[in-house]
Amino acid sequence: MTIFSKIIKGEIPSHKIYEDDKVFAFLDIGPLSKGHTLVIPKEAVATLDQLSDDSAAAIGRVLPRLCRAVMKATGAKDFNILQNNGAAAHQVVMHVHFHIIPKFNDTGLGIDWDPQQFDHTAGAQLAKQIVASLEG
Ligand code: AMP
């Protein structure tokens, strides 16, 4: 069990922002900026690809509303949604979570964006493989 399951159960305190039968949201204790919030499913799976459609839908339904509330309360106009999957992708807590990170002039998410060359022939093949890999 991860620390987030304990937070959902109330065994570890948190600054709760929202709760319904499938979703929980609370302030991040290592904030990149004022209002940095975590939105998590109550379903305890590590990465987004493992999440049920029901939990995914429940998060999708409430995420924009939570973003609006965080922006209104902090006065931020811009924000990032960050969702890390796997240790190499900077995931530390192995329970699915979406970061809402308000962006101010001097604080927020820094992004190191390093686009690679795109090969249209390989891209067309890859797109076909991904389509063929879609389930259901
Ligand atoms: P990630 O690197 O995507 O796994 O992010 C995990 C996040 O969880 C970090 O931003 C931490 O600051 C945050 N975090 C870890 N423990 C707690 C806690 N007890 N309460 C609130 N946030 C936490």
Side-chain angles (χ1 to χ4, degrees):
M1 181 190 293
T2 71
I3 193 167
F4 287 177
S5 288
K6 290 180 183 167
I7 285 175
I8 292 167
K9 284 191 197 168
E11 292 172 6
I12 288 176
S14 70
H15 295 282
K16 183 164 95 173
I17 282 174
Y18 176 84
E19 181 172 14
D20 64 30
D21 59 331
K22 292 197 168 59
V23 181
F24 195 96
F26 54 104
L27 291 180
D28 192 307
I29 46 158
L32 291 183
S33 60
K34 182 181 173 186
H36 185 161
T37 294
L38 297 174
V39 184
I40 65 177
K42 289 189 172 175
E43 185 182 346
V45 293
T47 55
L48 189 61
D49 52 289
Q50 299 169 341
L51 194 63
S52 68
D53 287 356
D54 273 357
S55 290
I59 286 185
R61 239 186 332 265
V62 76
L63 192 55
R65 186 147 64 96
L66 291 169
C67 292
R68 287 193 292 275
V70 170
M71 297 311 107
K72 188 173 176 187
T74 62
K77 299 277 180 277
D78 303 308
F79 65 98
N80 293 96
I81 297 295
L82 177 67
Q83 205 281 309
N84 299 327
N85 297 279
H90 300 283
Q91 185 178 10
V92 173
V93 179
M94 294 299 159
H95 180 128
V96 170
H97 51 281
F98 290 76
H99 297 256
I100 302 173
I101 310 171
K103 183 69 177 176
F104 300 99
N105 284 340
D106 50 348
T107 56
L109 181 67
I111 298 181
D112 195 0
W113 196 269
D114 183 19
Q116 310 291 301
Q117 288 290 330
F118 187 82
D119 177 329
H120 285 278
T121 307
Q125 180 63 24
L126 181 58
K128 275 189 198 153
Q129 285 173 343
I130 295 171
V131 170
S133 301
L134 280 170
E135 297 160 24

